[in-house]
Amino acid sequence: MGYSKDPVEIADRQSRKRAILLGLCGLAFLAVQAMATGPHHESGLWTFTAVLYLLLLATGGGLLTRTKIRALMNDDVTRENHRTAVAAGFWTAMLTALGLYWIPGVDQYSARDAIRVVVTLGIVASLLVFSYLELRAHRNA
Amino acid sequence: MHEQLHNRLREARLHRNLTQAELATLAHVSRKTINTVENGVFIPSTVLALRLARALGASVEELFQLPTD
């Protein structure tokens, strides 16, 4: 099957792929953390993954993509979606932190475990919200 | 349609027999931007509104209007 070389079409395809991929990454990150056992299960891998996702959220990915395509992928709508997604991640992290602080029975968490839960849920919320908003923007396009 | 802004972008585009992709190319934006503006999901910035108007050979006021009370 041939693909168009029109920059708008290329940006459209890559933008859809990015939205799906980031959504799947968010779900996978959450699933892996939910299945993790032990106080400091694979903390090196978790740190690496968290930093990778934060970089993806900060840059929008596609650093090797042509400048024109990247500009189209990250135009007004995507920047607005990005702002909303990052805000959702922030509020999720804050509410999670408050929950860990106040909910009875979770005070046995170590500081490292608590940080891990807060960061994980913050990142997952941002990834999922960004993915949802981007896919909604593509709907019927 | 967004309650704060009415737009006639789809009508103007179809009147000129353009697809969303063709208008996106003319306005140097992505197709999802055209889609979200047409559907009232996204309120365009001033620059984007001017770009769309220029691409369609229309005025901004022809494409976007504040709702009447």
mmCIF file of all heavy atoms in Angstrom, chain A residues 6 8-9 11-12 15-16 18 68 72-78 80-81 134 136-141, chain B residues 10 20-22 24-26 28-37 39 41-42 44-45 47-48 51:
data_model
loop_
_atom_site.group_PDB
_atom_site.id
_atom_site.type_symbol
_atom_site.label_atom_id
_atom_site.label_comp_id
_atom_site.label_asym_id
_atom_site.label_seq_id
_atom_site.Cartn_x
_atom_site.Cartn_y
_atom_site.Cartn_z
ATOM 1 N N ASP A 6 2.658 13.802 1.127
ATOM 2 C CA ASP A 6 2.223 15.132 1.522
ATOM 3 C C ASP A 6 2.495 15.322 3.009
ATOM 4 O O ASP A 6 2.124 14.478 3.829
ATOM 5 C CB ASP A 6 0.717 15.260 1.226
ATOM 6 C CG ASP A 6 0.164 16.594 1.714
ATOM 7 O OD1 ASP A 6 0.837 17.611 1.502
ATOM 8 O OD2 ASP A 6 -0.923 16.595 2.308
ATOM 9 N N VAL A 8 1.156 17.074 5.310
ATOM 10 C CA VAL A 8 -0.038 17.028 6.172
ATOM 11 C C VAL A 8 -0.460 15.587 6.423
ATOM 12 O O VAL A 8 -0.807 15.212 7.550
ATOM 13 C CB VAL A 8 -1.189 17.842 5.541
ATOM 14 C CG1 VAL A 8 -2.508 17.584 6.262
ATOM 15 C CG2 VAL A 8 -0.864 19.323 5.569
ATOM 16 N N GLU A 9 -0.393 14.758 5.365
ATOM 17 C CA GLU A 9 -0.774 13.349 5.515
ATOM 18 C C GLU A 9 0.220 12.609 6.409
ATOM 19 O O GLU A 9 -0.168 11.797 7.264
ATOM 20 C CB GLU A 9 -0.836 12.670 4.141
ATOM 21 C CG GLU A 9 -1.891 13.211 3.213
ATOM 22 C CD GLU A 9 -3.297 12.851 3.656
ATOM 23 O OE1 GLU A 9 -3.464 11.842 4.351
ATOM 24 O OE2 GLU A 9 -4.226 13.601 3.324
ATOM 25 N N ALA A 11 2.181 13.919 8.721
ATOM 26 C CA ALA A 11 2.012 14.391 10.100
ATOM 27 C C ALA A 11 0.776 13.768 10.727
ATOM 28 O O ALA A 11 0.784 13.394 11.902
ATOM 29 C CB ALA A 11 1.910 15.914 10.116
ATOM 30 N N ASP A 12 -0.281 13.627 9.935
ATOM 31 C CA ASP A 12 -1.522 13.036 10.421
ATOM 32 C C ASP A 12 -1.294 11.593 10.873
ATOM 33 O O ASP A 12 -1.699 11.197 11.971
ATOM 34 C CB ASP A 12 -2.546 13.086 9.280
ATOM 35 C CG ASP A 12 -3.966 12.878 9.760
ATOM 36 O OD1 ASP A 12 -4.352 13.562 10.718
ATOM 37 O OD2 ASP A 12 -4.667 12.035 9.190
ATOM 38 N N SER A 15 1.034 11.466 13.932
ATOM 39 C CA SER A 15 0.355 11.988 15.111
ATOM 40 C C SER A 15 -0.597 10.940 15.700
ATOM 41 O O SER A 15 -0.676 10.764 16.921
ATOM 42 C CB SER A 15 -0.406 13.250 14.703
ATOM 43 O OG SER A 15 -1.040 13.807 15.803
ATOM 44 N N ARG A 16 -1.322 10.246 14.824
ATOM 45 C CA ARG A 16 -2.209 9.160 15.285
ATOM 46 C C ARG A 16 -1.394 8.060 15.950
ATOM 47 O O ARG A 16 -1.759 7.555 17.017
ATOM 48 C CB ARG A 16 -2.956 8.540 14.105
ATOM 49 C CG ARG A 16 -4.191 9.263 13.673
ATOM 50 C CD ARG A 16 -4.781 8.544 12.469
ATOM 51 N NE ARG A 16 -5.648 9.398 11.699
ATOM 52 C CZ ARG A 16 -6.966 9.452 11.855
ATOM 53 N NH1 ARG A 16 -7.545 8.695 12.744
ATOM 54 N NH2 ARG A 16 -7.694 10.252 11.122
ATOM 55 N N ARG A 18 1.506 8.287 17.339
ATOM 56 C CA ARG A 18 2.031 8.769 18.619
ATOM 57 C C ARG A 18 0.958 8.698 19.703
ATOM 58 O O ARG A 18 1.224 8.263 20.824
ATOM 59 C CB ARG A 18 2.523 10.207 18.475
ATOM 60 C CG ARG A 18 2.970 10.819 19.796
ATOM 61 C CD ARG A 18 3.526 12.200 19.642
ATOM 62 N NE ARG A 18 2.535 13.149 19.149
ATOM 63 C CZ ARG A 18 2.782 14.416 18.872
ATOM 64 N NH1 ARG A 18 4.010 14.876 19.021
ATOM 65 N NH2 ARG A 18 1.840 15.214 18.445
ATOM 66 N N LYS A 68 9.444 20.243 9.528
ATOM 67 C CA LYS A 68 8.127 20.645 9.038
ATOM 68 C C LYS A 68 7.037 19.691 9.534
ATOM 69 O O LYS A 68 5.963 20.119 9.948
ATOM 70 C CB LYS A 68 8.139 20.675 7.510
ATOM 71 C CG LYS A 68 6.878 21.237 6.912
ATOM 72 C CD LYS A 68 6.996 21.386 5.412
ATOM 73 C CE LYS A 68 5.723 21.994 4.848
ATOM 74 N NZ LYS A 68 5.779 22.138 3.393
ATOM 75 N N LEU A 72 3.925 20.414 12.240
ATOM 76 C CA LEU A 72 2.520 20.088 11.986
ATOM 77 C C LEU A 72 1.952 19.168 13.073
ATOM 78 O O LEU A 72 0.804 19.310 13.491
ATOM 79 C CB LEU A 72 2.361 19.413 10.622
ATOM 80 C CG LEU A 72 2.437 20.320 9.402
ATOM 81 C CD1 LEU A 72 2.517 19.494 8.123
ATOM 82 C CD2 LEU A 72 1.233 21.249 9.346
ATOM 83 N N MET A 73 2.791 18.231 13.535
ATOM 84 C CA MET A 73 2.346 17.306 14.584
ATOM 85 C C MET A 73 2.097 18.037 15.900
ATOM 86 O O MET A 73 1.258 17.645 16.692
ATOM 87 C CB MET A 73 3.388 16.212 14.807
ATOM 88 C CG MET A 73 3.472 15.183 13.715
ATOM 89 S SD MET A 73 4.858 14.070 13.972
ATOM 90 C CE MET A 73 4.329 13.174 15.438
ATOM 91 N N ASN A 74 2.882 19.093 16.135
ATOM 92 C CA ASN A 74 2.791 19.809 17.418
ATOM 93 C C ASN A 74 2.177 21.195 17.226
ATOM 94 O O ASN A 74 2.664 22.173 17.784
ATOM 95 C CB ASN A 74 4.186 19.927 18.050
ATOM 96 C CG ASN A 74 4.753 18.573 18.400
ATOM 97 O OD1 ASN A 74 4.023 17.656 18.702
ATOM 98 N ND2 ASN A 74 6.064 18.441 18.346
ATOM 99 N N ASP A 75 1.133 21.272 16.419
ATOM 100 C CA ASP A 75 0.528 22.588 16.183
ATOM 101 C C ASP A 75 -0.415 22.985 17.325
ATOM 102 O O ASP A 75 -0.394 22.366 18.390
ATOM 103 C CB ASP A 75 -0.138 22.645 14.803
ATOM 104 C CG ASP A 75 -1.344 21.738 14.716
ATOM 105 O OD1 ASP A 75 -1.616 21.026 15.687
ATOM 106 O OD2 ASP A 75 -2.025 21.756 13.680
ATOM 107 N N ASP A 76 -1.218 24.009 17.095
ATOM 108 C CA ASP A 76 -2.013 24.617 18.180
ATOM 109 C C ASP A 76 -2.822 23.612 18.998
ATOM 110 O O ASP A 76 -2.837 23.659 20.225
ATOM 111 C CB ASP A 76 -2.994 25.652 17.597
ATOM 112 C CG ASP A 76 -2.283 26.822 16.961
ATOM 113 O OD1 ASP A 76 -1.185 26.627 16.424
ATOM 114 O OD2 ASP A 76 -2.828 27.937 16.997
ATOM 115 N N VAL A 77 -3.509 22.722 18.302
ATOM 116 C CA VAL A 77 -4.388 21.781 18.993
ATOM 117 C C VAL A 77 -3.576 20.854 19.900
ATOM 118 O O VAL A 77 -3.937 20.609 21.058
ATOM 119 C CB VAL A 77 -5.199 20.952 17.973
ATOM 120 C CG1 VAL A 77 -5.962 19.839 18.656
ATOM 121 C CG2 VAL A 77 -6.151 21.857 17.218
ATOM 122 N N THR A 78 -2.474 20.354 19.371
ATOM 123 C CA THR A 78 -1.650 19.443 20.162
ATOM 124 C C THR A 78 -1.032 20.149 21.362
ATOM 125 O O THR A 78 -0.959 19.575 22.455
ATOM 126 C CB THR A 78 -0.544 18.820 19.281
ATOM 127 O OG1 THR A 78 -1.184 18.067 18.246
ATOM 128 C CG2 THR A 78 0.361 17.916 20.071
ATOM 129 N N GLU A 80 -2.332 22.600 22.975
ATOM 130 C CA GLU A 80 -3.431 22.742 23.943
ATOM 131 C C GLU A 80 -3.692 21.403 24.649
ATOM 132 O O GLU A 80 -3.866 21.363 25.870
ATOM 133 C CB GLU A 80 -4.695 23.215 23.204
ATOM 134 C CG GLU A 80 -5.927 23.364 24.062
ATOM 135 C CD GLU A 80 -5.851 24.530 25.030
ATOM 136 O OE1 GLU A 80 -5.089 25.471 24.760
ATOM 137 O OE2 GLU A 80 -6.539 24.470 26.069
ATOM 138 N N ASN A 81 -3.712 20.329 23.869
ATOM 139 C CA ASN A 81 -3.912 18.996 24.457
ATOM 140 C C ASN A 81 -2.784 18.658 25.424
ATOM 141 O O ASN A 81 -3.008 18.041 26.466
ATOM 142 C CB ASN A 81 -3.993 17.936 23.355
ATOM 143 C CG ASN A 81 -5.272 18.055 22.539
ATOM 144 O OD1 ASN A 81 -6.220 18.710 22.963
ATOM 145 N ND2 ASN A 81 -5.284 17.445 21.365
ATOM 146 N N GLU A 134 -5.816 13.587 21.795
ATOM 147 C CA GLU A 134 -5.293 13.556 20.426
ATOM 148 C C GLU A 134 -6.156 12.663 19.533
ATOM 149 O O GLU A 134 -6.453 13.032 18.395
ATOM 150 C CB GLU A 134 -3.843 13.050 20.428
ATOM 151 C CG GLU A 134 -2.832 14.082 20.896
ATOM 152 C CD GLU A 134 -2.604 15.172 19.856
ATOM 153 O OE1 GLU A 134 -1.846 14.954 18.906
ATOM 154 O OE2 GLU A 134 -3.209 16.260 20.013
ATOM 155 N N ARG A 136 -9.257 11.975 19.979
ATOM 156 C CA ARG A 136 -10.539 12.675 19.789
ATOM 157 C C ARG A 136 -10.408 13.737 18.698
ATOM 158 O O ARG A 136 -11.302 13.932 17.886
ATOM 159 C CB ARG A 136 -10.976 13.328 21.107
ATOM 160 C CG ARG A 136 -12.354 13.948 21.021
ATOM 161 C CD ARG A 136 -12.741 14.658 22.297
ATOM 162 N NE ARG A 136 -11.917 15.835 22.519
ATOM 163 C CZ ARG A 136 -12.157 16.750 23.450
ATOM 164 N NH1 ARG A 136 -13.174 16.595 24.279
ATOM 165 N NH2 ARG A 136 -11.376 17.790 23.603
ATOM 166 N N ALA A 137 -9.253 14.422 18.684
ATOM 167 C CA ALA A 137 -9.028 15.457 17.667
ATOM 168 C C ALA A 137 -8.971 14.848 16.262
ATOM 169 O O ALA A 137 -9.352 15.488 15.289
ATOM 170 C CB ALA A 137 -7.740 16.213 17.968
ATOM 171 N N HIS A 138 -8.492 13.607 16.177
ATOM 172 C CA HIS A 138 -8.392 12.951 14.867
ATOM 173 C C HIS A 138 -9.718 12.364 14.408
ATOM 174 O O HIS A 138 -9.869 12.021 13.237
ATOM 175 C CB HIS A 138 -7.367 11.815 14.926
ATOM 176 C CG HIS A 138 -5.952 12.275 14.804
ATOM 177 N ND1 HIS A 138 -5.448 12.793 13.645
ATOM 178 C CD2 HIS A 138 -4.938 12.314 15.699
ATOM 179 C CE1 HIS A 138 -4.178 13.117 13.819
ATOM 180 N NE2 HIS A 138 -3.853 12.853 15.054
ATOM 181 N N ARG A 139 -10.646 12.182 15.369
ATOM 182 C CA ARG A 139 -11.891 11.499 15.032
ATOM 183 C C ARG A 139 -12.634 12.238 13.904
ATOM 184 O O ARG A 139 -12.752 13.455 13.949
ATOM 185 C CB ARG A 139 -12.789 11.432 16.269
ATOM 186 C CG ARG A 139 -13.820 10.334 16.209
ATOM 187 C CD ARG A 139 -14.592 10.278 17.515
ATOM 188 N NE ARG A 139 -13.718 9.983 18.643
ATOM 189 C CZ ARG A 139 -13.961 10.382 19.896
ATOM 190 N NH1 ARG A 139 -15.015 11.089 20.173
ATOM 191 N NH2 ARG A 139 -13.124 10.063 20.855
ATOM 192 N N ASN A 140 -13.059 11.497 12.931
ATOM 193 C CA ASN A 140 -13.799 12.039 11.775
ATOM 194 C C ASN A 140 -12.977 12.982 10.907
ATOM 195 O O ASN A 140 -13.526 13.704 10.095
ATOM 196 C CB ASN A 140 -15.078 12.769 12.216
ATOM 197 C CG ASN A 140 -15.998 11.870 12.997
ATOM 198 O OD1 ASN A 140 -16.093 10.689 12.703
ATOM 199 N ND2 ASN A 140 -16.639 12.411 14.018
ATOM 200 N N ALA A 141 -11.659 13.020 11.144
ATOM 201 C CA ALA A 141 -10.831 13.912 10.305
ATOM 202 C C ALA A 141 -10.585 13.272 8.953
ATOM 203 O O ALA A 141 -10.578 12.065 8.850
ATOM 204 C CB ALA A 141 -9.521 14.204 10.987
ATOM 205 N N ARG B 10 -16.627 24.838 8.046
ATOM 206 C CA ARG B 10 -16.965 23.690 7.194
ATOM 207 C C ARG B 10 -17.714 24.140 5.944
ATOM 208 O O ARG B 10 -17.395 23.699 4.829
ATOM 209 C CB ARG B 10 -17.788 22.666 7.987
ATOM 210 C CG ARG B 10 -18.215 21.478 7.127
ATOM 211 C CD ARG B 10 -18.946 20.404 7.903
ATOM 212 N NE ARG B 10 -18.018 19.592 8.676
ATOM 213 C CZ ARG B 10 -18.078 19.437 9.991
ATOM 214 N NH1 ARG B 10 -19.018 20.041 10.681
ATOM 215 N NH2 ARG B 10 -17.219 18.684 10.625
ATOM 216 N N GLN B 20 -10.582 18.500 4.080
ATOM 217 C CA GLN B 20 -9.883 18.993 5.273
ATOM 218 C C GLN B 20 -8.371 19.002 5.045
ATOM 219 O O GLN B 20 -7.674 19.924 5.472
ATOM 220 C CB GLN B 20 -10.221 18.119 6.483
ATOM 221 C CG GLN B 20 -11.629 18.336 7.022
ATOM 222 C CD GLN B 20 -11.874 17.572 8.311
ATOM 223 O OE1 GLN B 20 -11.181 16.607 8.621
ATOM 224 N NE2 GLN B 20 -12.879 17.996 9.064
ATOM 225 N N ALA B 21 -7.881 17.951 4.388
ATOM 226 C CA ALA B 21 -6.439 17.859 4.145
ATOM 227 C C ALA B 21 -5.956 18.985 3.227
ATOM 228 O O ALA B 21 -4.875 19.554 3.437
ATOM 229 C CB ALA B 21 -6.096 16.502 3.535
ATOM 230 N N GLU B 22 -6.761 19.299 2.203
ATOM 231 C CA GLU B 22 -6.368 20.374 1.277
ATOM 232 C C GLU B 22 -6.351 21.729 1.985
ATOM 233 O O GLU B 22 -5.430 22.533 1.792
ATOM 234 C CB GLU B 22 -7.310 20.399 0.082
ATOM 235 C CG GLU B 22 -7.090 19.232 -0.875
ATOM 236 C CD GLU B 22 -8.228 19.042 -1.877
ATOM 237 O OE1 GLU B 22 -9.342 19.562 -1.661
ATOM 238 O OE2 GLU B 22 -7.993 18.344 -2.875
ATOM 239 N N ALA B 24 -5.911 22.130 5.175
ATOM 240 C CA ALA B 24 -4.781 22.070 6.115
ATOM 241 C C ALA B 24 -3.480 22.434 5.411
ATOM 242 O O ALA B 24 -2.662 23.195 5.943
ATOM 243 C CB ALA B 24 -4.690 20.673 6.720
ATOM 244 N N THR B 25 -3.309 21.928 4.191
ATOM 245 C CA THR B 25 -2.092 22.235 3.429
ATOM 246 C C THR B 25 -2.034 23.726 3.096
ATOM 247 O O THR B 25 -0.984 24.358 3.246
ATOM 248 C CB THR B 25 -2.068 21.407 2.125
ATOM 249 O OG1 THR B 25 -2.130 20.024 2.465
ATOM 250 C CG2 THR B 25 -0.804 21.677 1.328
ATOM 251 N N LEU B 26 -3.155 24.285 2.675
ATOM 252 C CA LEU B 26 -3.185 25.709 2.320
ATOM 253 C C LEU B 26 -2.911 26.603 3.533
ATOM 254 O O LEU B 26 -2.264 27.650 3.419
ATOM 255 C CB LEU B 26 -4.558 26.083 1.741
ATOM 256 C CG LEU B 26 -4.883 25.567 0.343
ATOM 257 C CD1 LEU B 26 -6.341 25.865 -0.003
ATOM 258 C CD2 LEU B 26 -3.962 26.216 -0.681
ATOM 259 N N HIS B 28 -1.260 25.648 6.254
ATOM 260 C CA HIS B 28 -0.043 25.203 6.954
ATOM 261 C C HIS B 28 -0.345 24.754 8.376
ATOM 262 O O HIS B 28 0.351 25.130 9.325
ATOM 263 C CB HIS B 28 1.025 26.306 6.965
ATOM 264 C CG HIS B 28 1.340 26.845 5.607
ATOM 265 N ND1 HIS B 28 1.997 26.094 4.648
ATOM 266 C CD2 HIS B 28 1.065 28.029 5.036
ATOM 267 C CE1 HIS B 28 2.112 26.813 3.543
ATOM 268 N NE2 HIS B 28 1.555 27.993 3.748
ATOM 269 N N VAL B 29 -1.404 23.975 8.532
ATOM 270 C CA VAL B 29 -1.732 23.389 9.835
ATOM 271 C C VAL B 29 -2.033 21.907 9.615
ATOM 272 O O VAL B 29 -2.045 21.430 8.486
ATOM 273 C CB VAL B 29 -2.959 24.073 10.492
ATOM 274 C CG1 VAL B 29 -2.673 25.530 10.785
ATOM 275 C CG2 VAL B 29 -4.203 23.932 9.623
ATOM 276 N N SER B 30 -2.278 21.202 10.698
ATOM 277 C CA SER B 30 -2.586 19.777 10.569
ATOM 278 C C SER B 30 -4.081 19.586 10.289
ATOM 279 O O SER B 30 -4.886 20.488 10.524
ATOM 280 C CB SER B 30 -2.199 19.037 11.849
ATOM 281 O OG SER B 30 -3.055 19.424 12.893
ATOM 282 N N ARG B 31 -4.408 18.385 9.818
ATOM 283 C CA ARG B 31 -5.813 18.092 9.513
ATOM 284 C C ARG B 31 -6.646 18.057 10.797
ATOM 285 O O ARG B 31 -7.815 18.407 10.803
ATOM 286 C CB ARG B 31 -5.896 16.745 8.784
ATOM 287 C CG ARG B 31 -7.278 16.474 8.261
ATOM 288 C CD ARG B 31 -7.276 15.484 7.151
ATOM 289 N NE ARG B 31 -6.649 14.223 7.524
ATOM 290 C CZ ARG B 31 -6.640 13.166 6.744
ATOM 291 N NH1 ARG B 31 -7.182 13.217 5.555
ATOM 292 N NH2 ARG B 31 -6.066 12.047 7.121
ATOM 293 N N LYS B 32 -6.019 17.614 11.900
ATOM 294 C CA LYS B 32 -6.792 17.548 13.141
ATOM 295 C C LYS B 32 -7.153 18.942 13.633
ATOM 296 O O LYS B 32 -8.176 19.118 14.295
ATOM 297 C CB LYS B 32 -6.057 16.742 14.215
ATOM 298 C CG LYS B 32 -4.867 17.406 14.816
ATOM 299 C CD LYS B 32 -4.172 16.484 15.798
ATOM 300 C CE LYS B 32 -2.823 17.087 16.147
ATOM 301 N NZ LYS B 32 -1.819 16.135 16.499
ATOM 302 N N THR B 33 -6.336 19.937 13.285
ATOM 303 C CA THR B 33 -6.675 21.310 13.665
ATOM 304 C C THR B 33 -7.937 21.754 12.919
ATOM 305 O O THR B 33 -8.864 22.312 13.511
ATOM 306 C CB THR B 33 -5.503 22.263 13.358
ATOM 307 O OG1 THR B 33 -4.447 21.958 14.258
ATOM 308 C CG2 THR B 33 -5.898 23.718 13.521
ATOM 309 N N ILE B 34 -7.982 21.473 11.618
ATOM 310 C CA ILE B 34 -9.180 21.814 10.834
ATOM 311 C C ILE B 34 -10.397 21.095 11.425
ATOM 312 O O ILE B 34 -11.459 21.687 11.628
ATOM 313 C CB ILE B 34 -9.002 21.392 9.347
ATOM 314 C CG1 ILE B 34 -7.747 22.030 8.741
ATOM 315 C CG2 ILE B 34 -10.253 21.748 8.537
ATOM 316 C CD1 ILE B 34 -7.779 23.518 8.633
ATOM 317 N N ASN B 35 -10.206 19.818 11.712
ATOM 318 C CA ASN B 35 -11.310 18.995 12.236
ATOM 319 C C ASN B 35 -11.832 19.533 13.557
ATOM 320 O O ASN B 35 -13.042 19.666 13.752
ATOM 321 C CB ASN B 35 -10.801 17.560 12.406
ATOM 322 C CG ASN B 35 -11.896 16.595 12.747
ATOM 323 O OD1 ASN B 35 -12.939 16.584 12.107
ATOM 324 N ND2 ASN B 35 -11.685 15.789 13.769
ATOM 325 N N THR B 36 -10.926 19.856 14.483
ATOM 326 C CA THR B 36 -11.370 20.293 15.814
ATOM 327 C C THR B 36 -11.993 21.687 15.762
ATOM 328 O O THR B 36 -12.918 21.970 16.510
ATOM 329 C CB THR B 36 -10.212 20.279 16.833
ATOM 330 O OG1 THR B 36 -9.090 20.960 16.272
ATOM 331 C CG2 THR B 36 -9.820 18.878 17.213
ATOM 332 N N VAL B 37 -11.499 22.537 14.851
ATOM 333 C CA VAL B 37 -12.116 23.872 14.726
ATOM 334 C C VAL B 37 -13.512 23.721 14.131
ATOM 335 O O VAL B 37 -14.478 24.307 14.627
ATOM 336 C CB VAL B 37 -11.244 24.808 13.859
ATOM 337 C CG1 VAL B 37 -11.973 26.124 13.590
ATOM 338 C CG2 VAL B 37 -9.916 25.096 14.555
ATOM 339 N N ASN B 39 -15.507 21.252 14.278
ATOM 340 C CA ASN B 39 -16.427 20.611 15.219
ATOM 341 C C ASN B 39 -16.642 21.427 16.492
ATOM 342 O O ASN B 39 -17.358 20.980 17.396
ATOM 343 C CB ASN B 39 -15.904 19.224 15.596
ATOM 344 C CG ASN B 39 -15.988 18.265 14.427
ATOM 345 O OD1 ASN B 39 -16.861 18.396 13.571
ATOM 346 N ND2 ASN B 39 -15.068 17.323 14.355
ATOM 347 N N VAL B 41 -14.554 21.928 18.816
ATOM 348 C CA VAL B 41 -13.808 21.389 19.965
ATOM 349 C C VAL B 41 -12.705 22.363 20.375
ATOM 350 O O VAL B 41 -12.366 22.488 21.548
ATOM 351 C CB VAL B 41 -13.190 20.011 19.600
ATOM 352 C CG1 VAL B 41 -12.265 19.503 20.704
ATOM 353 C CG2 VAL B 41 -14.293 19.007 19.327
ATOM 354 N N PHE B 42 -12.162 23.062 19.380
ATOM 355 C CA PHE B 42 -11.016 23.941 19.624
ATOM 356 C C PHE B 42 -11.320 25.344 19.118
ATOM 357 O O PHE B 42 -11.775 25.516 17.979
ATOM 358 C CB PHE B 42 -9.794 23.367 18.890
ATOM 359 C CG PHE B 42 -8.545 24.176 19.038
ATOM 360 C CD1 PHE B 42 -7.920 24.295 20.269
ATOM 361 C CD2 PHE B 42 -7.987 24.829 17.950
ATOM 362 C CE1 PHE B 42 -6.771 25.046 20.417
ATOM 363 C CE2 PHE B 42 -6.835 25.580 18.086
ATOM 364 C CZ PHE B 42 -6.227 25.688 19.321
ATOM 365 N N PRO B 44 -9.895 28.625 17.751
ATOM 366 C CA PRO B 44 -8.602 28.978 17.148
ATOM 367 C C PRO B 44 -8.024 30.264 17.729
ATOM 368 O O PRO B 44 -8.766 31.152 18.154
ATOM 369 C CB PRO B 44 -8.952 29.165 15.665
ATOM 370 C CG PRO B 44 -10.388 29.502 15.658
ATOM 371 C CD PRO B 44 -11.012 28.794 16.820
ATOM 372 N N SER B 45 -6.696 30.321 17.727
ATOM 373 C CA SER B 45 -6.019 31.556 18.112
ATOM 374 C C SER B 45 -6.235 32.592 17.006
ATOM 375 O O SER B 45 -6.712 32.261 15.907
ATOM 376 C CB SER B 45 -4.520 31.290 18.278
ATOM 377 O OG SER B 45 -3.967 30.955 17.016
ATOM 378 N N VAL B 47 -3.991 34.073 15.243
ATOM 379 C CA VAL B 47 -3.123 33.751 14.101
ATOM 380 C C VAL B 47 -3.743 32.640 13.257
ATOM 381 O O VAL B 47 -3.779 32.722 12.023
ATOM 382 C CB VAL B 47 -1.716 33.338 14.596
ATOM 383 C CG1 VAL B 47 -0.863 32.828 13.443
ATOM 384 C CG2 VAL B 47 -1.031 34.500 15.293
ATOM 385 N N LEU B 48 -4.247 31.615 13.935
ATOM 386 C CA LEU B 48 -4.847 30.504 13.197
ATOM 387 C C LEU B 48 -6.101 30.965 12.443
ATOM 388 O O LEU B 48 -6.310 30.579 11.281
ATOM 389 C CB LEU B 48 -5.185 29.355 14.156
ATOM 390 C CG LEU B 48 -5.868 28.136 13.553
ATOM 391 C CD1 LEU B 48 -5.042 27.552 12.415
ATOM 392 C CD2 LEU B 48 -6.107 27.078 14.625
ATOM 393 N N ARG B 51 -5.002 32.769 9.411
ATOM 394 C CA ARG B 51 -4.473 31.829 8.411
ATOM 395 C C ARG B 51 -5.603 31.126 7.667
ATOM 396 O O ARG B 51 -5.558 30.956 6.437
ATOM 397 C CB ARG B 51 -3.629 30.757 9.114
ATOM 398 C CG ARG B 51 -2.199 31.106 9.297
ATOM 399 C CD ARG B 51 -1.525 29.827 9.705
ATOM 400 N NE ARG B 51 -0.241 30.053 10.337
ATOM 401 C CZ ARG B 51 0.502 29.087 10.831
ATOM 402 N NH1 ARG B 51 0.076 27.846 10.794
ATOM 403 N NH2 ARG B 51 1.664 29.348 11.353
#
